[in-house]
Amino acid sequence: MFMNNHELSGAPEELQTKTEWDNLSEEVEFSESSEKSSDSLDFIEENYGDKIDALVFNACFDGGDKTNPDHYVTSTLLDEALTNEEQIQMIDGLARTQKVDRVYSEKIKDFITEKMEHAPSEFLEELRDDPFMRKRHADAIAGRGDGDLKEDERILYELFTRADEDFYESEEARSLLGDEDYLTNRYQSVFNQLEEMTKKGEAKVDRNGLSNNLSSILNSIADKNLATVEELIHDPYLRGKHFDILAAADLEGVGVSKELYDLWHVDSEFFDSYEYNSRLEQRAHENPDIYEKRGVEDIDEVINEALEKISMRDYEEVLSAYEKDLRKGDELLFAKLLPILGLDKNPPKFEYGKSGGGESGCYIRHEHRMVVCEELIRDKIVKAGGAPDTERKMLFGLIKRREVGAEAFEHMNVVAHELWHAHQWAGEGVSEEQRKKYQENFVYYMKGRNDYDAYRAQLIEREAWAFGGRVEAIARFVRKEGELR
Amino acid sequence: MSEKGIIREYLVIEKHLDPFAAETFVKKFLKHNDILKEFLTVIETGKIPENGVKSGDWDAKTLSEKLPHLEVQNVYEFLVGLRDDPESYLVYIAEGAPIR
């Protein structure tokens, strides 16, 4: 729980009346004596230890900086797992024992201790209604009205926007949102960012003060009733919903650019957040045809339809190109697959690059770009005990020929695999129903390093693995046949 | 801190997994206490033990040698997977478990 210093001030108060808290506390026999204090903590640990660990830990990183946890706790998460009585007991145990497990923030301990000492009745009332003081946190942020939120405030703001959306429906929130100065300042910050982008030549500003790109994107979103343009521009509290809007726009085929993701701070870190991954889990549950582990029967038809268009001659030509040079082989395979995959009118960019997370290749949909990580492919083969494909010279060094070995075949697999992703996102000849499934999976995607099995099971990867794998297998067969002749 | 808490904290802080993925990961261990205990040892010592717990013919050491690009948490995911779904995981191992 993040507390600003000014919230810790307040005059001490006497406890005037017996409160419900006290009654409850008596029931569980907490005591302030040092002898019993460890029993209280043990009681908490024994009965709620796992729940607390899971909740506090998860909440700590919900939107927060993972490398410097400052322990944000949301009442929403607690409400789901602990009853009110359990929550009160937990806090009481922490406060009265004054012994806090290292999982819990020192700030929680200090804050609770101070309040229990100086303003116990008021504090207990607040705790019963809202154990983790979410309204006070939102007040601190919303009431500031001084333009761009500082980084820690932005994190906290986003945390509460996500976790407590119904708070913003309340009377209290409405009065805060009515603060014209605050809204104006937030609106101004959107334009500040647009100005920056304009200076860098990344956007053009039209008379209405919006870039051409943003205008058309926002209008598209508004046309599809995902949100009104006014909502998108004027309501800063919509920020917590921005990913949903962008995802919905993507799924509607609106063609949202990376620009808008960047503008609304839906950056790569978001895809490592608790929020994104909990939604992913939910959608996986709702869409078993996309995420459930299954064989290849349901995808055979669509894969084979494409494979049948690649002739033996195509394979032989590609293999000959790989004999000359890895990149020449890649280039030719890429060129041959484009029309087969409905990408000849809209081919993706093809680049070589470094791997970001251990992948041999990748397709970046918002840039319609595929990357082959040739260094990593080579390193993996060597580390696994193999050898990179060798080159030999013939005719007194005038002709160079490469072995078409593990390296070349892996290149073929990766090129075919990533091009299949490009086909799924942007290729022609894909049915509407299928396109929607692909889009859903692109937006809600299981990463390999999080769960390798789930990564392999999802639809877009099952297909790409099948296509790339079969291209490689057929190429190997053709090469073998060639050697036998 | 509980054993699960230690693993969750390691996965998020050291390995930069998101908390939800870390939670899902921990759940996989629930049926395999021996693998969980060994993973805790790895977290503590920073080393994969020789002759550790086995899943079929594989232990963490042989898996990490066969698939050197795998991160340590994925090695232990594979150990669990080889018990819960050996058919799939043996295929992944044979393919070299790449990420494309």
Side-chain angles (χ1 to χ4, degrees), chain B residues 9-27:
Chain B
E9 191 169 272
Y10 170 79
L11 289 175
V12 173
I13 295 179
E14 299 291 331
K15 290 296 174 183
H16 306 294
L17 256 64
D18 70 273
F20 199 90
E23 186 65 38
T24 308
F25 194 92
V26 164
K27 282 181 192 163

Side-chain angles (χ1 to χ4, degrees), chain A residues 292-474:
Chain A
E292 197 173 68
K293 198 162 166 182
R294 47 184 69 183
V296 294
E297 302 77 27
D298 58 322
I299 62 172
D300 256 350
E301 200 182 315
V302 72
I303 302 293
N304 287 335
E305 200 183 317
L307 285 171
E308 278 157 17
K309 294 176 186 170
I310 312 173
S311 67
M312 286 300 113
R313 192 188 166 115
D314 286 331
Y315 283 105
E316 282 165 358
E317 288 174 2
V318 164
L319 287 164
S320 294
Y322 274 109
E323 277 183 346
K324 297 190 182 88
D325 186 83
L326 275 176
R327 288 193 178 192
K328 282 193 163 48
D330 290 344
E331 204 178 291
L332 185 60
L333 179 60
F334 178 79
K336 286 194 180 290
L337 289 178
L338 284 180
I340 292 169
L341 300 179
L343 290 165
D344 42 336
K345 291 180 194 152
N346 179 25
K349 288 182 225 148
F350 180 178
E351 292 172 6
Y352 292 94
K354 291 205 179 292
S355 168
E359 66 276 359
S360 312
C362 61
Y363 171 69
I364 300 131
R365 73 180 192 275
H366 285 135
E367 298 166 30
H368 195 38
R369 174 167 70 97
M370 57 181 267
V371 180
V372 171
C373 307
E374 44 185 3
E375 258 183 59
L376 185 126
I377 290 172
R378 173 172 287 207
D379 285 348
K380 270 167 73 168
I381 289 169
V382 169
K383 276 185 188 168
D389 293 353
T390 52
E391 192 177 78
R392 54 196 164 89
K393 291 178 185 168
M394 295 153 59
L395 277 183
F396 310 106
L398 295 172
I399 300 175
K400 286 182 201 165
R401 281 290 180 268
R402 288 183 61 90
E403 170 200 8
V404 179
E407 216 179 332
F409 287 123
E410 179 65 11
H411 271 246
M412 275 187 240
N413 195 326
V414 171
V415 169
H417 181 113
E418 303 308 337
L419 261 181
W420 189 264
H421 283 322
H423 157 77
Q424 289 164 329
W425 184 250
E428 289 180 350
V430 177
S431 72
E432 193 57 33
E433 189 193 343
Q434 196 65 1
R435 178 86 69 205
K436 285 208 176 301
K437 286 186 188 176
Y438 291 154
Q439 285 171 344
E440 170 79 27
N441 198 182
F442 272 111
V443 175
Y444 293 98
Y445 180 80
M446 301 277 186
K447 284 187 185 172
R449 63 188 304 271
N450 285 358
D451 186 331
Y452 191 80
D453 200 35
Y455 152 73
R456 290 289 299 263
Q458 63 195 324
L459 177 66
I460 61 174
E461 290 301 339
R462 265 193 311 127
E463 282 190 3
W465 271 83
F467 183 69
R470 286 179 203 182
V471 165
E472 179 190 339
I474 296 170

Side-chain angles (χ1 to χ4, degrees), chain B residues 43-60:
Chain B
I43 291 172
E44 199 181 332
T45 63
K47 287 184 188 159
I48 293 178
E50 301 280 344
N51 304 314
V53 297
K54 274 196 171 308
S55 295
D57 293 332
W58 296 92
D59 58 32

Side-chain angles (χ1 to χ4, degrees), chain A residues 56-211:
Chain A
V56 173
F57 179 85
N58 286 335
C60 286
F61 299 100
D62 189 356
D65 179 358
K66 291 196 285 282
T67 62
N68 183 26
D70 204 15
H71 304 299
Y72 307 119
V73 186
T74 68
S75 58
T76 307
L77 290 172
L78 289 170
D79 284 343
E80 283 169 5
L82 296 180
T83 64
N84 278 343
E85 285 75 18
E86 285 172 337
Q87 291 180 46
I88 292 169
Q89 284 169 20
M90 180 181 83
I91 295 163
D92 182 48
L94 291 173
R96 288 175 182 271
T97 62
Q98 306 218 357
K99 272 207 279 184
V100 181
D101 188 284
R102 64 194 166 98
V103 169
Y104 312 123
S105 168
E106 285 298 306
K107 286 183 181 170
I108 296 176
K109 183 193 79 168
D110 290 346
F111 175 70
I112 293 173
T113 306
E114 169 123 5
K115 282 292 180 179
M116 288 289 282
E117 206 175 315
H118 295 120
S121 55
E122 174 194 304
F123 178 58
L124 296 175
E125 282 285 336
E126 286 174 3
L127 278 183
R128 258 201 310 282
D129 293 336
D130 183 9
F132 286 87
M133 314 293 280
R134 60 183 176 166
K135 296 193 191 97
R136 288 173 139 250
H137 296 165
D139 286 356
I141 296 162
R144 227 174 263 278
D146 59 355
D148 265 351
L149 297 174
K150 295 180 182 53
E151 182 61 23
D152 53 358
E153 290 166 330
R154 181 184 69 76
I155 290 167
L156 190 58
Y157 158 74
E158 288 191 356
L159 175 72
F160 285 106
T161 310
R162 288 198 300 275
D164 300 295
E165 281 181 358
D166 54 352
F167 165 69
Y168 295 103
E169 306 287 329
S170 67
E171 283 302 316
E172 189 172 356
R174 284 183 205 288
S175 66
L176 287 170
L177 294 175
D179 181 341
E180 288 290 336
D181 286 341
Y182 184 77
L183 288 179
T184 303
N185 285 328
R186 288 302 305 140
Y187 182 48
Q188 186 61 45
S189 80
V190 172
F191 281 103
N192 289 344
Q193 290 178 66
L194 282 171
E195 274 183 16
E196 270 306 307
M197 290 171 73
T198 309
K199 278 179 201 166
K200 289 180 196 172
E202 291 166 10
K204 291 179 191 172
V205 181
D206 69 7
R207 281 179 296 164
N208 293 323
L210 290 172
S211 75

